């Protein structure tokens, strides 16, 4: 799973995912990209599932760019523990994805295969997505 090698704080405050993305709003490297149309936290396991689906689809000839990284740790308290006594331990890592963020990009395979692969990859995420082409600005 993807996670940072080290962080400044072990238990950070939770970051909001509502609103529109400030950056990462266009396809920069590949030919087609997968853009989130709503905001949410995307876990490291979901990003790994997306990576597996896309790497199988593109094979050895295509190229894949994942543009988000899970750098926020979310904490949970154990079950059946009374209130108080501090914050829980870090359980998993998430990437903060806002509306308009390009999650991943691919290139190097036929257009129909790219669209089908991105459609399958979008099903692995917990956000609604759409496929965008390089050069077009997708307005929400």
């Amino acid at each position: 799973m993807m996670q940072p090698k080290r962080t400044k704080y072990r238990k950070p405050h939770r970051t909001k995912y509502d609103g529109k993305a400030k950056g990462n709003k266009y396809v920069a490297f590949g030919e087609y990209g997968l853009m989130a149309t709503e905001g949410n936290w995307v876990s490291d396991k979901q990003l790994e599932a997306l990576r597996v689906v896309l790497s199988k689809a593109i094979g050895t000839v295509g190229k894949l760019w994942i543009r988000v990284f899970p750098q926020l740790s979310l904490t949970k308290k154990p079950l059946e523990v009374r209130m108080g006594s501090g914050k829980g331990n870090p359980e998993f890592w998430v990437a903060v994805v806002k509306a308009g963020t390009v999650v991943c990009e691919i290139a190097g395979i036929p257009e129909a295969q790219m669209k089908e692969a991105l459609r399958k990859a979008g099903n692995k995420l917990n956000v609604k997505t759409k496929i965008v082409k390089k050069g077009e600005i997708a307005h929400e």
Side-chain angles (χ1 to χ4, degrees):
M1 301 295 143
M2 293 194 295
Q3 68 182 39
K5 287 186 176 72
R6 56 186 294 274
T7 58
K8 189 171 183 179
Y9 299 108
R10 202 168 74 97
K11 301 177 182 179
H13 292 170
R14 293 188 172 210
T15 308
K16 292 188 172 128
Y17 50 77
D18 48 349
K20 293 190 178 185
K22 289 172 67 177
N24 198 3
K25 297 191 287 191
Y26 58 91
V27 179
F29 305 107
E31 298 170 26
Y32 278 89
L34 193 65
M35 178 181 276
T37 58
E38 64 182 13
N40 210 337
W41 287 320
V42 177
S43 73
D44 55 346
K45 293 177 183 175
Q46 291 168 346
L47 287 173
E48 180 65 17
L50 173 129
R51 187 194 65 78
V52 167
V53 166
L54 288 178
S55 60
K56 281 183 182 177
I58 64 177
T60 58
V61 294
K63 185 98 172 88
L64 168 66
W65 294 268
I66 297 178
R67 302 272 308 269
V68 294
F69 185 79
Q71 59 189 12
L72 179 72
S73 67
L74 293 187
T75 60
K76 259 188 183 172
K77 289 180 75 79
L79 292 175
E80 300 178 6
V81 172
R82 294 185 177 185
M83 292 289 103
S85 71
K87 193 172 185 176
N89 294 324
E91 289 292 318
F92 50 94
W93 296 89
V94 297
V96 179
V97 174
K98 295 190 173 194
T101 302
V102 175
V103 178
C104 64
E105 300 175 17
I106 58 174
I109 58 175
E111 184 176 335
Q113 282 183 331
M114 274 194 267
K115 287 185 177 179
E116 180 63 20
L118 288 171
R119 186 191 63 77
K120 286 181 183 176
N123 291 335
K124 304 296 179 192
L125 301 177
N126 62 343
V127 293
K128 291 180 183 171
T129 58
K130 68 179 178 181
I131 299 169
V132 291
K133 191 175 182 179
K134 185 171 188 142
E136 72 179 34
I137 303 295
H139 296 289
E140 299 303 313

